[in-house]
Amino acid sequence: MYWLELISLGLLIGGMSSIFGIGGGVLLVPILPWLFPLNQKEAIGTSLVTIFFLVSFNTYGFHRQKIMPWRIVLVVGLFAALFSFAAGRLTLQLSDEILKIILATVMGLLALRVYRQRGPTLHDEFIQTQSRGKLFWAKVLFLGAASGASSGLTGVGAGLIMSPALLAMGLVAPGQVSPASNGIMMFTTLFAVLALVTGMTAPLVGWRWGLIHLDMVVILFVTAMFVAFLGQIYQKKVSFRWRKYFLASLLVIFAVKEIIHIMWKSYEIAGLH
């Protein structure tokens, strides 16, 4: 069952990352502690490393197709990376329950934001005009800060913020949403991992390095690559409507799951007293 569950998760996150521009942390962070004996911090660390390898693979594939909007990716990615690093260090100082509350709150707010989106309003002239203005770059920097902080603090959020926001703000064409999101996540996950690694003191023991379960990382990444390769080819065919409802529904499901977990834990603690 251990291998089967990890392979299934790998296939799922491979499709999500390449088709919808979601790294997969939204699945891994809540599901890994549920299926395996991992605490919240271990789930975040393992998820971040896995997603870094996966989105790097996707970024290379999209670059070869010549559909990577590198200007947006570099500006948002580098700015997001700074916030991701700072938030990653903060993660080491917080309890599992606080991290779960933050995760549920982020998911709930994002679901509301995605549901309210009406559709993309984008064309080449719009980008060329807006890219010269201060408001355009203010939005870019805010997007980088929000996604970076969410990624480093909860292990999820960069892709879930990026994909809908890139469409709603008209920063890239619909067919470039997943490429841009993957490219930006390559920066945020890398710096979040660096923050965790530099803050850990545990030595490498077998397949475990502090908060990171390397055996899980290998299985998840290798499995995800196969589906991600196909997703890189067909992601352009996914409509805005399908992207919108898929993202929002996923957020609601896992936000409710985390809320139920928090309430149940509180009930158990109250029962002990």
Short mmCIF file of all heavy atoms in Angstrom, two decimals, residues 2-37:
data_model
loop_
_atom_site.label_atom_id
_atom_site.label_comp_id
_atom_site.label_asym_id
_atom_site.label_seq_id
_atom_site.Cartn_x
_atom_site.Cartn_y
_atom_site.Cartn_z
N TYR A 2 2.03 1.21 0.65
CA TYR A 2 2.92 2.38 0.72
C TYR A 2 3.28 2.85 -0.68
O TYR A 2 3.16 4.03 -1.01
CB TYR A 2 4.17 2.00 1.51
CG TYR A 2 5.23 3.07 1.57
CD1 TYR A 2 5.20 4.05 2.54
CD2 TYR A 2 6.28 3.07 0.64
CE1 TYR A 2 6.18 5.03 2.60
CE2 TYR A 2 7.27 4.03 0.70
CZ TYR A 2 7.22 5.01 1.68
OH TYR A 2 8.19 5.97 1.73
N TRP A 3 3.72 1.93 -1.53
CA TRP A 3 4.12 2.28 -2.89
C TRP A 3 2.92 2.71 -3.72
O TRP A 3 3.01 3.68 -4.48
CB TRP A 3 4.81 1.08 -3.55
CG TRP A 3 6.19 0.85 -3.08
CD1 TRP A 3 6.59 0.21 -1.93
CD2 TRP A 3 7.40 1.26 -3.73
NE1 TRP A 3 7.95 0.20 -1.83
CE2 TRP A 3 8.48 0.84 -2.92
CE3 TRP A 3 7.68 1.95 -4.90
CZ2 TRP A 3 9.80 1.08 -3.27
CZ3 TRP A 3 9.00 2.18 -5.26
CH2 TRP A 3 10.05 1.76 -4.44
N LEU A 4 1.82 2.00 -3.60
CA LEU A 4 0.64 2.30 -4.40
C LEU A 4 0.11 3.70 -4.10
O LEU A 4 -0.25 4.45 -5.02
CB LEU A 4 -0.46 1.26 -4.12
CG LEU A 4 -1.77 1.43 -4.90
CD1 LEU A 4 -1.51 1.36 -6.39
CD2 LEU A 4 -2.78 0.37 -4.48
N GLU A 5 0.07 4.07 -2.83
CA GLU A 5 -0.42 5.39 -2.45
C GLU A 5 0.49 6.50 -2.97
O GLU A 5 0.04 7.53 -3.47
CB GLU A 5 -0.55 5.47 -0.93
CG GLU A 5 -1.68 4.60 -0.38
CD GLU A 5 -1.53 4.33 1.10
OE1 GLU A 5 -0.42 4.56 1.64
OE2 GLU A 5 -2.51 3.89 1.72
N LEU A 6 1.81 6.31 -2.87
CA LEU A 6 2.75 7.32 -3.35
C LEU A 6 2.70 7.44 -4.87
O LEU A 6 2.76 8.55 -5.41
CB LEU A 6 4.17 6.97 -2.90
CG LEU A 6 4.53 7.27 -1.45
CD1 LEU A 6 5.95 6.81 -1.15
CD2 LEU A 6 4.39 8.76 -1.15
N ILE A 7 2.60 6.32 -5.56
CA ILE A 7 2.52 6.35 -7.03
C ILE A 7 1.25 7.06 -7.47
O ILE A 7 1.27 7.88 -8.41
CB ILE A 7 2.57 4.92 -7.60
CG1 ILE A 7 3.98 4.34 -7.43
CG2 ILE A 7 2.18 4.90 -9.08
CD1 ILE A 7 4.10 2.88 -7.81
N SER A 8 0.13 6.80 -6.81
CA SER A 8 -1.13 7.46 -7.14
C SER A 8 -1.02 8.97 -6.94
O SER A 8 -1.48 9.76 -7.77
CB SER A 8 -2.26 6.89 -6.29
OG SER A 8 -2.43 5.51 -6.52
N LEU A 9 -0.42 9.37 -5.82
CA LEU A 9 -0.22 10.79 -5.56
C LEU A 9 0.70 11.42 -6.61
O LEU A 9 0.47 12.53 -7.07
CB LEU A 9 0.38 10.99 -4.17
CG LEU A 9 -0.58 10.98 -2.98
CD1 LEU A 9 0.21 11.07 -1.67
CD2 LEU A 9 -1.57 12.13 -3.08
N GLY A 10 1.75 10.69 -6.99
CA GLY A 10 2.68 11.20 -7.99
C GLY A 10 2.00 11.44 -9.33
O GLY A 10 2.21 12.48 -9.98
N LEU A 11 1.17 10.50 -9.76
CA LEU A 11 0.43 10.66 -11.01
C LEU A 11 -0.49 11.88 -10.96
O LEU A 11 -0.61 12.63 -11.92
CB LEU A 11 -0.38 9.40 -11.30
CG LEU A 11 0.41 8.13 -11.61
CD1 LEU A 11 -0.52 6.93 -11.72
CD2 LEU A 11 1.22 8.29 -12.90
N LEU A 12 -1.12 12.06 -9.81
CA LEU A 12 -2.07 13.16 -9.65
C LEU A 12 -1.37 14.52 -9.69
O LEU A 12 -1.79 15.44 -10.40
CB LEU A 12 -2.84 13.00 -8.35
CG LEU A 12 -4.06 13.90 -8.14
CD1 LEU A 12 -5.04 13.78 -9.30
CD2 LEU A 12 -4.76 13.54 -6.83
N ILE A 13 -0.29 14.66 -8.94
CA ILE A 13 0.40 15.96 -8.90
C ILE A 13 1.11 16.24 -10.22
O ILE A 13 1.30 17.41 -10.59
CB ILE A 13 1.39 16.06 -7.72
CG1 ILE A 13 2.54 15.06 -7.86
CG2 ILE A 13 0.67 15.89 -6.40
CD1 ILE A 13 3.62 15.23 -6.81
N GLY A 14 1.50 15.19 -10.95
CA GLY A 14 2.11 15.40 -12.25
C GLY A 14 1.16 16.07 -13.21
O GLY A 14 1.53 17.00 -13.94
N GLY A 15 -0.10 15.61 -13.21
CA GLY A 15 -1.11 16.22 -14.07
C GLY A 15 -1.49 17.62 -13.62
O GLY A 15 -1.64 18.53 -14.43
N MET A 16 -1.63 17.80 -12.31
CA MET A 16 -2.01 19.10 -11.78
C MET A 16 -0.97 20.17 -12.08
O MET A 16 -1.30 21.30 -12.42
CB MET A 16 -2.23 19.00 -10.27
CG MET A 16 -3.46 18.24 -9.86
SD MET A 16 -3.55 18.01 -8.07
CE MET A 16 -3.54 19.71 -7.51
N SER A 17 0.30 19.81 -11.95
CA SER A 17 1.36 20.79 -12.14
C SER A 17 1.49 21.24 -13.58
O SER A 17 1.67 22.42 -13.87
CB SER A 17 2.70 20.23 -11.64
OG SER A 17 3.10 19.13 -12.44
N SER A 18 1.41 20.30 -14.51
CA SER A 18 1.63 20.63 -15.92
C SER A 18 0.39 21.18 -16.60
O SER A 18 0.49 22.03 -17.49
CB SER A 18 2.13 19.39 -16.67
OG SER A 18 1.20 18.33 -16.57
N ILE A 19 -0.80 20.73 -16.20
CA ILE A 19 -2.03 21.15 -16.87
C ILE A 19 -2.62 22.41 -16.23
O ILE A 19 -2.99 23.36 -16.92
CB ILE A 19 -3.09 20.02 -16.85
CG1 ILE A 19 -2.57 18.83 -17.64
CG2 ILE A 19 -4.42 20.51 -17.43
CD1 ILE A 19 -3.47 17.61 -17.58
N PHE A 20 -2.68 22.44 -14.90
CA PHE A 20 -3.33 23.55 -14.21
C PHE A 20 -2.35 24.54 -13.58
O PHE A 20 -2.75 25.57 -13.05
CB PHE A 20 -4.28 23.03 -13.13
CG PHE A 20 -5.45 22.26 -13.68
CD1 PHE A 20 -5.45 20.88 -13.69
CD2 PHE A 20 -6.55 22.93 -14.20
CE1 PHE A 20 -6.51 20.17 -14.21
CE2 PHE A 20 -7.62 22.24 -14.72
CZ PHE A 20 -7.61 20.85 -14.72
N GLY A 21 -1.07 24.24 -13.62
CA GLY A 21 -0.09 25.16 -13.04
C GLY A 21 -0.03 25.12 -11.54
O GLY A 21 0.40 26.07 -10.89
N ILE A 22 -0.46 23.99 -10.95
CA ILE A 22 -0.42 23.81 -9.50
C ILE A 22 0.71 22.84 -9.18
O ILE A 22 0.78 21.75 -9.76
CB ILE A 22 -1.74 23.22 -8.97
CG1 ILE A 22 -2.91 24.06 -9.43
CG2 ILE A 22 -1.71 23.14 -7.45
CD1 ILE A 22 -4.24 23.43 -9.11
N GLY A 23 1.59 23.20 -8.29
CA GLY A 23 2.72 22.33 -7.99
C GLY A 23 2.32 20.98 -7.42
O GLY A 23 2.99 19.98 -7.63
N GLY A 24 1.22 20.93 -6.69
CA GLY A 24 0.78 19.69 -6.05
C GLY A 24 0.88 19.72 -4.55
O GLY A 24 0.43 18.81 -3.87
N GLY A 25 1.48 20.79 -4.01
CA GLY A 25 1.58 20.90 -2.56
C GLY A 25 0.23 20.93 -1.87
O GLY A 25 0.09 20.47 -0.74
N VAL A 26 -0.79 21.45 -2.57
CA VAL A 26 -2.14 21.50 -1.99
C VAL A 26 -2.67 20.10 -1.71
O VAL A 26 -3.52 19.91 -0.83
CB VAL A 26 -3.10 22.26 -2.93
CG1 VAL A 26 -3.33 21.49 -4.20
CG2 VAL A 26 -4.41 22.57 -2.23
N LEU A 27 -2.15 19.11 -2.42
CA LEU A 27 -2.53 17.72 -2.15
C LEU A 27 -1.56 17.07 -1.17
O LEU A 27 -1.97 16.40 -0.23
CB LEU A 27 -2.54 16.92 -3.45
CG LEU A 27 -3.71 17.11 -4.39
CD1 LEU A 27 -3.50 16.26 -5.64
CD2 LEU A 27 -5.02 16.73 -3.73
N LEU A 28 -0.27 17.26 -1.41
CA LEU A 28 0.73 16.56 -0.60
C LEU A 28 0.72 16.98 0.86
O LEU A 28 0.81 16.13 1.76
CB LEU A 28 2.12 16.78 -1.19
CG LEU A 28 2.39 16.17 -2.57
CD1 LEU A 28 3.83 16.44 -2.99
CD2 LEU A 28 2.11 14.68 -2.57
N VAL A 29 0.64 18.27 1.12
CA VAL A 29 0.74 18.75 2.51
C VAL A 29 -0.38 18.20 3.39
O VAL A 29 -0.12 17.74 4.51
CB VAL A 29 0.80 20.29 2.56
CG1 VAL A 29 0.75 20.78 4.00
CG2 VAL A 29 2.09 20.77 1.90
N PRO A 30 -1.65 18.25 2.97
CA PRO A 30 -2.68 17.67 3.83
C PRO A 30 -2.76 16.15 3.79
O PRO A 30 -3.14 15.52 4.78
CB PRO A 30 -3.99 18.28 3.28
CG PRO A 30 -3.67 18.89 1.98
CD PRO A 30 -2.20 18.96 1.82
N ILE A 31 -2.41 15.53 2.65
CA ILE A 31 -2.60 14.08 2.49
C ILE A 31 -1.46 13.26 3.09
O ILE A 31 -1.70 12.20 3.69
CB ILE A 31 -2.79 13.72 1.00
CG1 ILE A 31 -4.17 14.18 0.54
CG2 ILE A 31 -2.65 12.22 0.78
CD1 ILE A 31 -4.48 13.84 -0.90
N LEU A 32 -0.21 13.72 2.97
CA LEU A 32 0.92 12.93 3.49
C LEU A 32 0.79 12.60 4.98
O LEU A 32 1.00 11.45 5.37
CB LEU A 32 2.24 13.67 3.21
CG LEU A 32 2.72 13.64 1.75
CD1 LEU A 32 4.01 14.46 1.60
CD2 LEU A 32 2.94 12.22 1.27
N PRO A 33 0.43 13.58 5.85
CA PRO A 33 0.26 13.22 7.27
C PRO A 33 -0.94 12.31 7.52
O PRO A 33 -1.01 11.64 8.55
CB PRO A 33 0.06 14.58 7.96
CG PRO A 33 0.55 15.59 7.00
CD PRO A 33 0.27 15.02 5.65
N TRP A 34 -1.88 12.32 6.60
CA TRP A 34 -3.09 11.51 6.73
C TRP A 34 -2.80 10.05 6.37
O TRP A 34 -3.30 9.13 7.02
CB TRP A 34 -4.16 12.08 5.80
CG TRP A 34 -5.49 11.42 5.89
CD1 TRP A 34 -6.07 10.89 7.01
CD2 TRP A 34 -6.41 11.21 4.82
NE1 TRP A 34 -7.31 10.37 6.71
CE2 TRP A 34 -7.54 10.55 5.37
CE3 TRP A 34 -6.41 11.53 3.47
CZ2 TRP A 34 -8.64 10.20 4.59
CZ3 TRP A 34 -7.51 11.18 2.70
CH2 TRP A 34 -8.61 10.53 3.26
N LEU A 35 -1.95 9.83 5.36
CA LEU A 35 -1.66 8.47 4.90
C LEU A 35 -0.42 7.86 5.56
O LEU A 35 -0.32 6.64 5.67
CB LEU A 35 -1.48 8.46 3.38
CG LEU A 35 -2.69 8.82 2.53
CD1 LEU A 35 -2.31 8.81 1.06
CD2 LEU A 35 -3.85 7.87 2.78
N PHE A 36 0.51 8.70 5.97
CA PHE A 36 1.79 8.21 6.47
C PHE A 36 2.11 8.85 7.82
O PHE A 36 1.56 9.89 8.17
CB PHE A 36 2.91 8.53 5.46
CG PHE A 36 2.61 8.07 4.06
CD1 PHE A 36 2.21 8.98 3.09
CD2 PHE A 36 2.73 6.74 3.73
CE1 PHE A 36 1.93 8.57 1.80
CE2 PHE A 36 2.46 6.31 2.43
CZ PHE A 36 2.05 7.22 1.47
N PRO A 37 3.03 8.25 8.58
CA PRO A 37 3.37 8.79 9.91
C PRO A 37 4.29 10.01 9.82
O PRO A 37 5.44 9.98 10.26
CB PRO A 37 4.06 7.60 10.59
CG PRO A 37 4.66 6.82 9.48
CD PRO A 37 3.70 6.95 8.34
#
